[in-house]
Amino acid sequence: MRLSRFAALTSSLLLAAGAALFGAGQAAAAQADFGYVALGDSYSSGVGAGNYDGGSGNCKRTSRAYPALWAAAHSPQTFSFTACSGARTGDVLASQLAPLNSGTDLVSITIGGNDAGFSDVMTTCVLQSESTCVSRVNQAKAYVDSTLPGRLDQVYNAIDSRSPGAHVVVLGYPRFYKLNGTCTAGLTEGERAAINGAADYLNAAIAKRAADHGFTYASVAGAFTGHEICSGSAWLHSVNWLNIGESYHPTAAGQSGGYLPVFTNAA
């Protein structure tokens, strides 16, 4: 695991501030060109949180997403936000890496869910039988075993090649359902359990690849516990037939209360 360069920067600023109090230096001397780049899919762009930046088009980036919230709170000297709704690993490689360079200090990313067929899994489970849902979940898990690790390696290798000194935080995905919760309609408990199990399976694969590259993996499952769909205090959208793209994505509260503190602790 790489040492957090933001933590190192914070320490240097505190030391400089203390020295300035005694006339031994200037706090400005400790300022550094700290650069943060936020990559990934809709969980990083902020789909579901609303207030989308019209300039980001179909990527649907928002100031309510955890990368923008972190940048607003910590004021990195440079902040590049290229995460995009619907992104797969190939999209990250093709269109999100340009801001990375040898001076990049911090990188965040969520990726892998779309490669594994997240959207199709959820559509299948909502519209078809429990047995068909479980079968589709198992297909996704097979992909996670056979193909996803290599795709993640390509992305992680590219990040490391472009920004070898960066502290890279790879964030996972939440479990979607509280089992035996408040929901009285919709999916069966068997379907909900299968979907939760698939999220855990995907997260385990992502965590393994991140660790093998020396990156920091940050789980959000604990942060969302008690705030799943069917919890009565959900930080995730259930099926939204009026805005289907926001279904199964974090709300603004899920970004600020779930993803942001997890990322802040890992950064």
Side-chain angles (χ1 to χ4, degrees):
M1 182 185 300
R2 303 179 185 187
L3 177 65
S4 168
R5 293 177 68 179
F6 180 75
L9 173 64
T10 302
S11 296
S12 68
L13 289 172
L14 290 173
L15 288 172
L21 290 174
F22 295 97
Q26 298 180 354
Q31 291 181 351
D33 184 9
F34 190 89
Y36 168 37
V37 179
L39 312 171
D41 55 23
S42 53
Y43 280 71
S44 289
S45 71
V47 171
N51 196 36
Y52 305 117
D53 176 5
S56 69
N58 291 332
C59 286
K60 292 189 174 181
R61 289 186 284 270
T62 172
S63 59
R64 296 174 180 172
Y66 76 85
L69 294 172
W70 189 92
H74 295 90
S75 301
Q77 189 136 352
T78 60
F79 171 48
S80 298
F81 192 10
T82 60
C84 188
S85 175
R88 300 186 180 193
T89 50
D91 299 309
V92 173
L93 292 169
S95 60
Q96 294 190 23
L97 302 181
L100 294 174
N101 56 55
S102 60
T104 301
D105 299 281
L106 178 64
V107 178
S108 65
I109 185 169
T110 56
I111 201 68
N114 291 317
D115 291 75
F118 162 75
S119 179
D120 186 61
V121 167
M122 301 310 298
T123 300
T124 298
C125 290
V126 168
L127 298 179
Q128 300 192 41
S129 68
E130 179 175 315
S131 62
T132 303
C133 168
V134 172
S135 176
R136 183 63 185 88
V137 165
N138 288 336
Q139 290 176 19
K141 291 167 72 174
Y143 178 92
V144 169
D145 286 337
S146 66
T147 307
L148 185 61
R151 299 284 174 87
L152 294 174
D153 283 340
Q154 291 177 355
V155 172
Y156 297 164
N157 284 334
I159 293 171
D160 195 44
S161 176
R162 288 171 175 262
S163 302
H167 176 60
V168 183
V169 179
V170 179
L171 296 100
Y173 300 93
R175 295 189 188 98
F176 294 97
Y177 288 99
K178 177 177 175 61
L179 300 181
N180 300 308
T182 60
C183 295
T184 58
L187 302 184
T188 67
E189 284 298 288
E191 289 170 326
R192 292 169 185 148
I195 290 168
N196 281 359
D200 289 342
Y201 204 82
L202 172 62
N203 286 331
I206 293 171
K208 176 64 165 60
R209 300 317 306 141
D212 286 350
H213 285 265
F215 296 166
T216 297
Y217 175 75
S219 172
V220 299
F224 277 83
T225 297
H227 296 286
E228 310 95 330
I229 299 167
C230 305
S231 67
S233 181
W235 284 352
L236 293 156
H237 293 280
S238 186
V239 178
N240 182 350
W241 296 110
L242 298 178
N243 191 341
I244 200 68
E246 292 193 341
S247 301
Y248 300 106
H249 283 84
T251 63
Q255 288 286 340
S256 63
Y259 271 92
L260 177 62
V262 169
F263 177 56
T264 299
N265 288 337

